[in-house]
């Protein structure tokens, strides 16, 4: 490992100590159904004339269920990542600084998942129970790609960057959303900034270790595969299934899901959210695209 990488890991370890428990840092008492959970511009139907005609109550409900769907996705990804870190911890690597940092990430991801469950518990809302496990290739790579491979860490980077951009956009609407949700998103964004710095460093480091000729051989194989994983992550997070709309009182849900899929404003929103990670991957020689 080079000097810059080991300094980064030392720094990340310092910044993760002491541990900040989200369960005690979120203002749970401020949770309310009278405020939006997601700001309107982040809702999948925003921009459609049908959306403008919806009652405020329906739009508020949709913002709650779209947010719950979004954190179900986060729970799914965090569970995959925690599983892999936990398995790798059984054989700590020679580099103890890196091994320590990964356990910091495990602790922080567990904190996020606890925070999401607490929100679900306190809201007493029926859950969409979206079956994210169906995003098959993403699960396959997440669970079985070798832990130190570029493939695994590119998937981690995509899995962290794709929802993070949405979180950053939501944070800009502080005054329009419920303060509890703002707390949740802020805590998540702060920890994820470190996680993504680590993932970026690991991706670059693991790609540097591959000779150029081998990279040329691999690219035609892993590029279409990663493109598919990328599409699965984006669609899983940004396009809620029919049940989410039905829970919000919009029936038949399938028709609303289709409207969201065809909504040009949603496409533009998603593009804005995914463009930074696409640029980052392109800088590392991996050009992916979406729709
Ligand atoms: Fe997280
Ligand atoms: Fe993370």
């Amino acid at each position: 490992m080079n000097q810059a990488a080991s300094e980064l890991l030392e720094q990340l370890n310092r910044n993760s100590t002491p541990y900040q428990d989200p369960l005690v840092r979120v203002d749970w008492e401020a949770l309310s159904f009278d405020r939006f959970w997601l700001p309107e511009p982040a809702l999948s139907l925003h921009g459609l004339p049908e959306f403008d005609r919806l009652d405020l109550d329906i739009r508020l409900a949709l913002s709650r269920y779209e947010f719950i769907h979004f954190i179900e996705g986060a729970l799914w990804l965090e569970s995959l990542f925690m599983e892999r870190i936990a398995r790798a911890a059984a054989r700590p690597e020679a580099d103890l600084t890196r091994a320590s940092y990964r356990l910091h990430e495990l602790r922080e991801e567990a904190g996020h998942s606890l925070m999401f469950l607490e929100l679900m518990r306190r809201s007493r809302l029926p859950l969409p129970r979206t079956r994210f496990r169906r995003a098959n290739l993403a699960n396959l790579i997440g669970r079985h790609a070798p832990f130190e491979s570029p493939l695994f860490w590119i998937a981690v980077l995509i899995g962290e960057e794709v929802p993070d951009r949405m979180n950053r956009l939501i944070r800009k609407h502080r005054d329009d959303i419920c303060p509890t949700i703002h707390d949740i998103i802020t805590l998540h964004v702060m920890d994820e900034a470190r996680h993504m710095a680590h993932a970026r460093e690991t991706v670059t480091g693991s790609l540097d270790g591959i000779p150029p000729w081998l990279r040329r051989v691999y690219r035609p194989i892993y590029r279409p595969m990663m493109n598919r994983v990328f599409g699965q992550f984006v669609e899983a997070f940004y396009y809620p299934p029919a049940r989410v709309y039905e829970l919000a009182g919009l029936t038949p849900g399938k028709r609303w899901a289709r409207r969201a899929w065809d909504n040009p404003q949603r496409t533009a929103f998603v593009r804005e959210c995914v463009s930074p990670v696409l640029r980052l991957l392109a800088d590392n020689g991996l050009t992916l695209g979406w729709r």
Side-chain angles (χ1 to χ4, degrees), residues 5 8-22 25 81 98 100-109 111-112 153 156-157 160-161 164-165 168 186-202:
L8 174 73
L9 284 169
E10 295 278 3
Q11 178 70 43
L12 293 173
N13 273 328
R14 273 197 299 279
N15 292 353
S16 284
T17 318
Y19 176 66
Q20 316 253 22
D21 185 350
R25 297 191 70 220
F81 194 41
R98 191 182 286 281
S100 300
Y101 183 65
R102 289 184 175 165
L103 283 179
H104 276 297
E105 284 205 15
L106 178 70
R107 174 162 76 170
E108 287 162 6
E109 297 297 11
H112 303 157
W153 286 95
V156 169
L157 189 62
E160 290 188 327
E161 289 264 355
D164 185 69
R165 292 296 146 175
R168 282 164 194 267
T186 302
L187 288 169
H188 205 190
V189 163
M190 276 161 36
D191 287 348
E192 287 307 318
R194 293 192 299 282
H195 297 184
M196 288 184 298
H198 169 233
R200 275 193 288 263
E201 185 278 313
T202 312

Side-chain angles (χ1 to χ4, degrees), residues 145-166:
F147 190 62
E148 294 302 338
S149 65
L151 200 63
F152 177 73
W153 286 95
I154 290 170
V156 169
L157 189 62
I158 294 173
E160 290 188 327
E161 289 264 355
V162 166
D164 185 69
R165 292 296 146 175
M166 168 98 138

Side-chain angles (χ1 to χ4, degrees), residues 15 48 110 119 127 198 218 237 248 252 269 283:
N15 292 353
L48 294 175
L119 176 70
L127 302 177
H198 169 233
Y218 272 145
F237 276 97
F269 176 85
D283 289 346

Side-chain angles (χ1 to χ4, degrees), residues 46 77 97 99 141 161 167 215 270:
H46 188 259
L77 280 188
T97 311
I141 292 178
E161 289 264 355
N167 281 333
R215 248 189 269 183
V270 176

Side-chain angles (χ1 to χ4, degrees), residues 124-194:
R124 296 207 180 89
L125 292 170
L127 302 177
R129 300 227 174 265
T130 308
R131 295 182 59 193
F132 284 98
R133 293 212 162 259
R134 273 201 196 137
N136 288 327
L137 192 60
N139 278 309
L140 201 70
I141 292 178
R143 302 200 69 190
H144 302 294
F147 190 62
E148 294 302 338
S149 65
L151 200 63
F152 177 73
W153 286 95
I154 290 170
V156 169
L157 189 62
I158 294 173
E160 290 188 327
E161 289 264 355
V162 166
D164 185 69
R165 292 296 146 175
M166 168 98 138
N167 281 333
R168 282 164 194 267
L169 276 163
I170 298 168
R171 280 194 75 205
K172 290 188 187 152
H173 296 262
R174 178 182 196 139
D175 296 333
D176 305 328
I177 58 172
C178 169
T180 308
I181 306 299
H182 187 266
D183 281 357
I184 289 175
I185 284 170
T186 302
L187 288 169
H188 205 190
V189 163
M190 276 161 36
D191 287 348
E192 287 307 318
R194 293 192 299 282

